[in-house]
Amino acid sequence: MSRDRHRPDDDEISAFRQALREAGVRRLRTNRADLGRARREDPAAAERRAAAQAASEAGGSGRTSDGRVEAVRPSEYLEFALPDLPWRTRQRLKRGQLAWEAGLDLHGYTLEEARAELEAFLREASVERRRCVLVVHGKAWGTTSDYPVIKSHVNAWLREWPAVLAFCSAVEADGGTGAVYVLLRRRGEA
């Protein structure tokens, strides 16, 4: 197979342009999409939006639940991904090949403090358009529980967070089963 690219001569170029004209192809005048008509403002939608914003500003417990969670073992490998996440992206995350851009260490926090820190961290990462972050949850057993409380809750919380596309336990160099890589949806992504 030849690596030389065929260069069209003037006759070929003229024939191509003639075929375009005959097909009715016209040159674009502008390079912008036609957005069509402006959307009509729905008063009910505006009220719902205002109520949702007021509820989120009122504080509350945030987006993550504090109900019962499934206990995980200290050395258990954590993994979650949305079904439509590309296989290659998932494999790169599992191998630690996606560079994490920010990290959060939850050692020393109470459960409620850990949840608040994680929510604030994920919100900030989303605003800053981070793609992959590292969350160190540790493997320590709770003082009143026979399982790693923070790790078990982080496993549940991340599954509920809307911007999380996937997460999995980190490679040994980044904390192993005491940390997770979190792949986030960037703002504006479907």
Side-chain angles (χ1 to χ4, degrees):
M1 186 164 133
S2 173
R3 290 186 172 208
D4 293 332
R5 215 172 145 190
H6 171 71
R7 304 272 183 222
D9 60 13
D10 290 337
D11 291 337
E12 290 175 321
I13 293 172
S14 295
F16 178 72
R17 289 185 176 152
Q18 178 64 30
L20 288 176
R21 274 193 298 277
E22 289 173 2
V25 175
R26 293 177 293 143
R27 182 181 293 268
L28 292 175
R29 297 288 177 221
T30 62
N31 193 15
R32 297 213 179 251
D34 180 14
L35 301 177
R37 291 185 302 165
R39 288 171 107 185
R40 187 172 47 104
E41 187 60 34
D42 181 10
E47 287 177 27
R48 287 192 305 269
R49 193 169 26 256
Q53 288 174 341
S56 69
E57 290 169 3
S61 61
R63 292 185 179 202
T64 55
S65 70
D66 56 356
R68 295 186 60 93
V69 298
E70 182 181 336
V72 296
R73 295 183 317 278
S75 60
E76 188 172 337
Y77 185 87
L78 301 181
E79 183 176 10
F80 165 82
L82 293 179
D84 58 345
L85 185 72
W87 180 84
R88 175 169 269 158
T89 303
R90 190 174 184 171
Q91 293 304 309
R92 290 186 66 216
L93 184 69
K94 287 170 75 169
R95 292 180 185 133
Q97 294 173 338
L98 294 176
W100 51 277
E101 303 164 89
L104 172 67
D105 187 351
L106 296 174
H107 283 102
Y109 287 107
T110 65
L111 188 59
E112 196 54 42
E113 291 170 340
R115 183 171 68 171
E117 285 294 316
L118 180 63
E119 288 180 358
F121 175 71
L122 292 175
R123 258 188 240 101
E124 183 179 322
S126 186
V127 166
E128 293 176 357
R129 298 184 53 81
R130 306 264 190 223
R131 183 64 166 173
C132 183
V133 296
L134 178 75
V135 176
V136 180
H137 47 67
K139 300 190 257 185
W141 293 41
T143 54
T144 59
S145 304
D146 57 349
Y147 65 94
V149 176
I150 300 282
K151 178 176 181 174
S152 297
H153 279 79
V154 165
N155 182 37
W157 294 336
L158 289 175
R159 291 170 191 269
E160 297 173 352
W161 196 260
V164 172
L165 295 173
F167 67 86
C168 66
S169 291
V171 296
E172 283 302 315
D174 287 331
T177 57
V180 288
Y181 299 123
V182 182
L183 185 65
L184 298 171
R185 174 181 286 121
R186 289 195 175 123
R187 270 195 173 173
E189 285 183 345

